[in-house]
Amino acid sequence: MEGVTVLDAQAKAKALYEARRTRTPIAAFTDTEPDLTMADGYAIQRELIPMLLDDGDQIVGYKVGLTSRAMQRLIGVDSPDFGPVLASTRYDDGEAVALDRFIAPKMEAEISFVMADRLAGPGVTREQACRAVAGAVASIEIVDSRVIDWRVKLADTVADIASNGAFVVADEVVPIEDIDTRLIGMVLSRNGEVIDTGAGAAALGDPVEVVAWLANVLGERGIALEPGHLVMTGALHAAVPMAAGDTFTAEFDRLGSVEARVVSSTG
């Protein structure tokens, strides 16, 4: 059998689970096993997810990463990756985000979609994805790594649920029938100062294409996007480190804005 064995995947998943629980990073699996593949990463991820759900968590959607061509070239892949989004990691617009919940968090502004209808691959087209979504929503993803100093390769980040940490979503879900989602612009500010910009086309050329891609990849695994699921379509800019006292505001054309306030601790 090529790749990680079931027992090995379980052991690696347990190490990631404990790193999440204790906020103590571990060495990258690829440090000692450099030949681990994306498929190996997903095998580990499949073992990790039930451990988190057994703690009472719930899958409320999915995140897709590596959706920009620049990031794909940097990592050396030609496809995005994905992982589930968990209910326990949701923050409302403007809610305080405590650094002590994470290891080494960074933030990314993203266009997300809320599903209206069930969408199951294979064979899902952009047009079908567009009809299945209730609308788009302004969002911020907080990426985090359970690997020391973010020294990850592809298999490591896939195993670690695509380095997902948490997410912040605005309240308003905006219908997209009359919007060219490729052209949705975004301005990111930190403490009132503009630090980056982006546009929807950064995500696979069109963020709706990300929804179709995800539905098809999940369909290969017998999973569907369900009504109410959130789909995060990937960063529109380079990830930004977070520090206590920072307030990040991402303003999106047509979608409105979303804000994350960073504090040092939950206490």
Side-chain angles (χ1 to χ4, degrees):
M1 175 181 175
E2 294 185 357
V4 295
T5 66
V6 171
L7 287 177
D8 191 33
Q10 289 174 341
K12 287 177 167 59
K14 183 64 174 178
L16 285 171
Y17 173 85
E18 289 299 326
R20 284 172 170 265
R21 186 182 66 83
T22 63
R23 273 69 165 177
T24 303
I26 60 176
F29 301 136
T30 55
D31 282 354
T32 53
E33 299 175 73
D35 293 332
L36 289 175
T37 65
M38 177 181 274
D40 294 325
Y42 281 122
I44 299 164
Q45 185 188 120
R46 285 193 297 272
E47 296 295 331
L48 173 59
I49 292 167
M51 297 178 188
L52 300 173
L53 299 184
D54 284 346
D55 286 340
D57 221 327
Q58 179 182 0
I59 294 174
V60 294
Y62 292 86
K63 66 151 290 183
V64 183
L66 302 178
T67 53
S68 75
R69 302 303 182 196
M71 281 302 299
Q72 289 180 12
R73 286 193 296 268
L74 180 66
I75 300 295
V77 297
D78 59 3
S79 173
D81 66 351
F82 74 91
V85 171
L86 301 174
S88 66
T89 66
R90 176 189 173 117
Y91 289 89
D92 293 327
D93 186 12
E95 188 175 353
V97 176
L99 291 178
D100 65 358
R101 288 193 60 181
F102 308 97
I103 294 173
K106 304 178 183 181
M107 64 81 58
E108 301 173 344
E110 306 189 6
I111 297 167
S112 293
F113 295 96
V114 176
M115 302 304 301
D117 302 318
R118 191 173 191 267
L119 189 64
V124 171
T125 65
R126 180 198 180 281
E127 290 69 28
Q128 291 171 321
C130 195
R131 290 194 296 269
V133 302
V137 61
S139 66
I140 289 171
E141 182 182 7
I142 299 166
V143 292
D144 195 17
S145 181
R146 271 51 63 169
V147 172
I148 295 169
D149 296 331
W150 275 94
R151 294 192 302 107
V152 295
K153 294 182 179 177
L154 182 61
D156 303 302
T157 186
V158 170
D160 194 15
I161 314 185
S163 299
N164 193 14
F167 64 102
V168 187
V169 288
D171 296 328
E172 185 178 9
V173 179
V174 180
I176 62 170
E177 288 84 355
D178 299 322
I179 298 177
D180 187 337
T181 49
R182 301 172 306 163
L183 304 181
I184 296 175
M186 185 280 303
V187 176
L188 177 65
S189 300
R190 179 176 53 208
N191 303 328
E193 179 182 352
V194 174
I195 58 171
D196 217 331
T197 60
L204 284 189
D206 182 345
V208 179
E209 292 282 7
V210 178
V211 180
W213 177 89
L214 177 63
N216 289 325
V217 170
L218 290 176
E220 295 171 358
R221 294 160 168 79
I223 304 170
L225 293 172
E226 302 291 351
H229 270 169
L230 184 76
V231 178
M232 308 193 74
T233 61
L236 302 183
H237 61 94
V240 180
M242 301 165 59
D246 286 340
T247 295
F248 292 99
T249 305
E251 300 170 273
F252 294 81
D253 180 40
R254 305 289 291 272
L255 305 185
S257 64
V258 61
E259 180 181 280
R261 296 187 300 108
V262 186
V263 298
S264 59
S265 68
T266 53

